[in-house]
Amino acid sequence: MLEAKRILVLLGPPGAGKGTQGQRWAEEHGWRYTATGDLLRQAVQNQTPLGLQAKAYMDKGLLVPDEVMGGIVEEVMRRSQQPLVLDGYPRTLPQAQKLDEMVKRWGWEIFAVVLFVLSDEEIVERLSARRICPNCQAIYNLRSAPPKNDELCDECETPLIQRDDDKPEVIRKRLAVYKEQTLPVIDYYRAEGLLKEVNASGAPEEVYERLKGVMSE
Ligand code: AP5
């Protein structure tokens, strides 16, 4: 299998650091980083029909319907010429089955599935201090990874924002949805022998070392 056709799937609860670690892995290895949450937020920002539909679900911490998500990911797989880091998909069993189908159809291979493990307390702490750049999607944290200059993006100087779904009541809902709908996906990949687990607690650098460790096993 060509390296260009490999997919690294990132799983884990909201705020576990999938975006932080996935972006770094992609940058250092020349892979393409794709987060379904970022694609949806862009659609919301541009007020496209997809964005208008997705916003109602996202603001409540609910998942966007499977049929909509499959179409978005298939488009990425059809166009990408680079190996993919896929963050945020699949997060239901039907999505995992759909991904298997698309992988076959477009000649890709699921290379590894990495699960980031973090306690609920740390999740809430991290998410309430998260800020993101709405322009380049860079991720910051007012406690653990603050921007150099007030609340401006280090990369493009755009004012940083807090995500609408990082409010405490929505975070709680997202966690409940994760436990109900995404935990079965973990068992699915464990049964296929693809799952690698990473302890997501500790500094981003330490977590990245663990990620590199499991990827080289
Ligand atoms: P999405 O954007 O995918 O959100 P999520 O999975 O809930 O994950 P997050 O982006 O919140 O967290 P992360 O793990 O990437 O953490 P990060 O690196 O940012 O989805 C949003 C919504 O879109 C969903 O609720 C749903 O409605 C919809 N959606 C998306 N995909 C869908 C799908 N497939 N099907 C249906 N609906 C879908 O880190 C978090 C914070 O912690 C940051 O501030 C970071 O700086 C900090 N941090 C990271 N690592 C560390 C560390 N080691 N120590 C201290 N701080 C750290």
Side-chain angles (χ1 to χ4, degrees):
M1 178 65 64
L2 288 172
E3 180 169 323
K5 288 289 197 178
R6 286 179 171 172
I7 298 180
L8 165 59
V9 172
L10 304 185
L11 293 180
K18 304 179 295 294
T20 302
Q21 302 298 333
Q23 286 180 14
R24 178 151 178 205
W25 174 273
E27 251 170 52
E28 288 190 6
H29 294 82
W31 289 39
R32 173 175 170 159
Y33 171 78
T34 296
T36 46
D38 288 346
L39 297 177
L40 292 171
R41 279 183 289 279
Q42 268 158 24
V44 170
Q45 208 178 347
N46 297 335
Q47 302 195 331
T48 65
L50 165 68
L52 295 175
Q53 188 189 1
K55 188 173 180 352
Y57 294 96
M58 295 171 81
D59 284 353
K60 294 190 193 116
L62 300 174
L63 296 182
V64 174
D66 291 338
E67 315 76 73
V68 177
M69 298 312 302
I72 295 175
V73 173
E74 184 152 34
E75 195 53 26
V76 174
M77 289 169 71
R78 252 172 20 90
R79 286 166 186 256
S80 183
Q81 305 294 320
Q82 285 164 278
L84 278 180
V85 176
L86 193 52
D87 171 2
Y89 188 95
R91 54 216 288 170
T92 64
L93 260 190
Q95 289 185 12
Q97 287 153 354
K98 174 79 181 172
L99 181 61
D100 278 349
E101 207 184 291
M102 295 189 292
V103 157
K104 280 202 196 102
R105 184 175 320 135
W106 299 104
W108 288 78
E109 171 203 19
I110 299 182
F111 180 60
V113 178
V114 173
L115 169 65
F116 291 94
V117 182
L118 194 65
S119 71
D120 288 4
E121 295 73 40
E122 284 187 82
I123 288 168
V124 175
E125 201 175 291
R126 283 187 191 177
L127 288 183
S128 29
R130 172 166 58 187
R131 298 294 180 273
I132 58 162
C133 172
N135 180 42
C136 71
Q137 318 308 326
I139 304 165
Y140 298 88
N141 192 287
L142 298 183
R143 291 185 191 170
S144 58
K148 292 195 188 89
N149 191 348
D150 261 346
E151 290 221 0
L152 295 182
C153 178
D154 293 347
E155 310 296 326
C156 64
E157 301 198 335
T158 305
L160 301 180
I161 57 165
Q162 182 168 33
R163 277 171 44 172
D164 287 339
D165 59 355
D166 280 346
K167 296 180 193 119
E169 68 279 11
V170 186
I171 296 173
R172 276 194 290 276
K173 182 68 195 171
R174 285 161 64 203
L175 266 171
V177 168
Y178 173 76
K179 286 173 188 167
E180 195 185 301
Q181 302 197 50
T182 309
L183 289 187
V185 176
I186 296 169
D187 294 333
Y188 180 86
Y189 287 122
R190 189 175 283 122
E192 291 198 355
L194 287 168
L195 195 76
K196 297 168 188 286
E197 291 192 32
V198 167
N199 170 2
S201 186
E205 193 56 44
E206 288 171 58
V207 179
Y208 190 65
E209 286 305 314
R210 292 183 201 129
L211 171 63
K212 283 199 299 189
V214 298
M215 289 302 286
S216 63
E217 278 166 5

